[in-house]
Amino acid sequence: MKPRGFPEWIWASRLARVTFLAVAGLLLATNIRPGPPPPPPRPETVDLTFEAVALDEGDPAQRRAGSLLFLEGWAIGSESTHFGGISAMHVENGQVLALSDAGSVFRFALPGHGPARARLTPLPQGPGPAIEKSNRDTEALFVRGDELLVAYERANMIWRYRLRDLAALSAARPEAMRRWRGNAGPEAMMQLADGRYLVFSEGKDGGDTSEVALFGGDPSLAGAPTARLSYRRFLNYRITDAALLPDGRLLLLNRRFSLLRGFSAIVAVADPRQVRPGGTIVPRALATLASPLTVDNMEALSVTREGGRTIVWIASDDNFFPLQRTLLLKFALVE
């Protein structure tokens, strides 16, 4: 995850890379960094740069990470201070719809599918005024036809927007999520093959499980049937996103930070039969992304189909922090 402008001769040292990751993570963990900018006051179009990255910058021939086959990847940059902080995304037909944890929706084309520009649109309505970060801490999305569901972490709310113009259609603060505290609120959201919805709490440090809310209907509507269950965490990892595989299994993205090893991520699957009130979702690891592989604060996940293969897309949240990057990595699932 060499930052732009970092000397290549220094970055070639594994010790330098590990030290850099540790320092960056320590600064993030202690909040010694500039806060995210407020969303732009109105929609704007910004230029992007796509710098190709390898799975392992020290060994470009390396293409496997567990059950994931690396196809291609990019570090995405922009001169705009509003681009970054990607916390969730939806990839479809060569286009990316991404959500910033500062309350903006980004739309941009993948390389080869359109110009290198992004349309940034602030969510016009939310739990409170956009000038307060806590009112626009958006961490999860789900695209449903011409509608967009968005989870607000600190408010523990689910809002529904019209995808075309992001007009608000409904909002709810579900009872099953009201106890989730601070920045341990809703972090991942998905719809199961049977139409039910899952919303995962990020959870706090420590503990073997985190909370999950199961909805029998639209979670943005007050009164939707709900139940509680739990998610078995990988040691010191927190779930950051979830998506549905074509065979109906749950695909789950988990992220960890370590002072010694920096950021790492685990991509896992779970059996949908484990989704039942009072039950526990127990994930099985498919792949681990950790140094020396290209990795950052991986928070966004999407699944597509391409040429008969299941494609897994993973993106990182740079926290609007110059020592991090916005990565977009493309894998094929090869279990």
Side-chain angles (χ1 to χ4, degrees):
M1 53 167 286
K2 181 176 79 68
R4 190 176 304 168
F6 201 89
E8 188 67 46
W9 65 274
I10 296 179
W11 193 251
S13 163
R14 182 174 182 180
L15 176 61
R17 295 197 298 269
V18 172
T19 302
F20 170 84
L21 288 168
V23 171
L26 179 61
L27 293 176
L28 289 169
T30 55
N31 288 318
I32 305 175
R33 65 188 190 274
R42 61 187 62 84
E44 62 182 28
T45 299
V46 303
D47 292 330
L48 301 179
T49 60
F50 291 86
E51 176 188 355
V53 298
L55 178 61
D56 185 341
E57 295 182 358
D59 180 11
Q62 171 71 15
R63 301 186 65 82
R64 281 294 292 270
S67 297
L68 296 180
L69 173 66
F70 179 74
L71 300 178
E72 54 188 335
W74 307 271
I76 309 175
S78 175
E79 294 298 322
S80 171
T81 59
H82 292 122
F83 184 85
I86 291 177
S87 58
M89 68 177 174
H90 174 83
V91 181
E92 185 175 6
N93 297 326
Q95 305 295 311
V96 179
L97 185 149
L99 185 67
S100 159
D101 61 9
S104 292
V105 172
F106 305 153
R107 292 178 172 91
F108 61 91
L110 294 167
H113 292 267
R117 293 194 297 270
R119 183 67 171 172
L120 277 59
T121 307
L123 291 169
Q125 291 179 269
I131 57 174
E132 294 290 339
K133 168 64 169 70
S134 60
N135 294 330
R136 288 296 186 273
D137 192 359
T138 47
E139 294 289 345
L141 68 76
F142 181 76
V143 173
R144 185 180 63 195
D146 59 357
E147 296 178 341
L148 175 66
L149 297 178
V150 171
Y152 285 85
E153 184 174 42
R154 297 177 187 274
N156 291 333
M157 296 188 71
I158 308 296
W159 282 60
R160 180 168 57 101
Y161 299 90
R162 189 165 54 209
L163 196 56
R164 184 181 73 253
D165 57 4
L166 298 182
L169 301 175
S170 63
R173 182 178 285 109
E175 178 63 33
M177 294 166 43
R178 291 185 183 182
R179 296 183 301 164
W180 299 354
R181 301 299 182 189
N183 63 349
E187 186 74 19
M189 177 166 50
M190 65 178 298
Q191 186 179 33
L192 299 171
D194 61 12
R196 294 178 298 168
Y197 290 85
L198 286 174
V199 179
F200 294 78
S201 163
E202 181 180 1
K204 298 181 179 180
D205 290 333
D208 297 328
T209 62
S210 54
E211 294 184 80
V212 184
L214 172 64
F215 295 86
D218 187 335
S220 74
L221 297 177
T226 61
R228 293 185 175 92
L229 59 156
S230 60
Y231 175 70
R232 178 72 52 79
R233 297 166 59 168
F234 295 99
L235 182 63
N236 296 324
Y237 280 82
R238 298 187 185 191
I239 188 167
T240 58
D241 210 351
L244 189 70
L245 287 171
D247 61 9
R249 290 179 299 164
L250 287 61
L251 189 68
L252 306 154
L253 179 62
N254 307 266
R255 181 269 327 279
R256 183 182 72 173
F257 169 73
S258 163
L259 282 176
L260 293 179
R261 299 182 180 275
F263 289 107
S264 61
I266 291 178
V267 179
V269 292
D271 190 329
R273 290 175 294 183
Q274 297 176 346
V275 179
R276 56 185 181 273
T280 300
I281 299 171
V282 181
R284 175 175 62 86
L286 291 178
T288 299
L289 301 177
S291 180
L293 300 185
T294 297
V295 66
D296 205 295
N297 179 30
M298 313 310 281
E299 288 213 8
L301 180 71
S302 187
V303 173
T304 62
R305 293 284 290 173
E306 187 176 295
R309 296 191 295 183
T310 297
I311 303 299
V312 177
W313 302 86
I314 307 175
S316 66
D317 173 0
D318 68 352
N319 291 296
F320 300 97
F321 189 46
L323 294 183
Q324 293 182 260
R325 295 192 296 179
T326 298
L327 296 172
L328 177 59
L329 308 180
K330 179 183 181 182
F331 299 90
L333 182 61
V334 288
E335 290 182 280

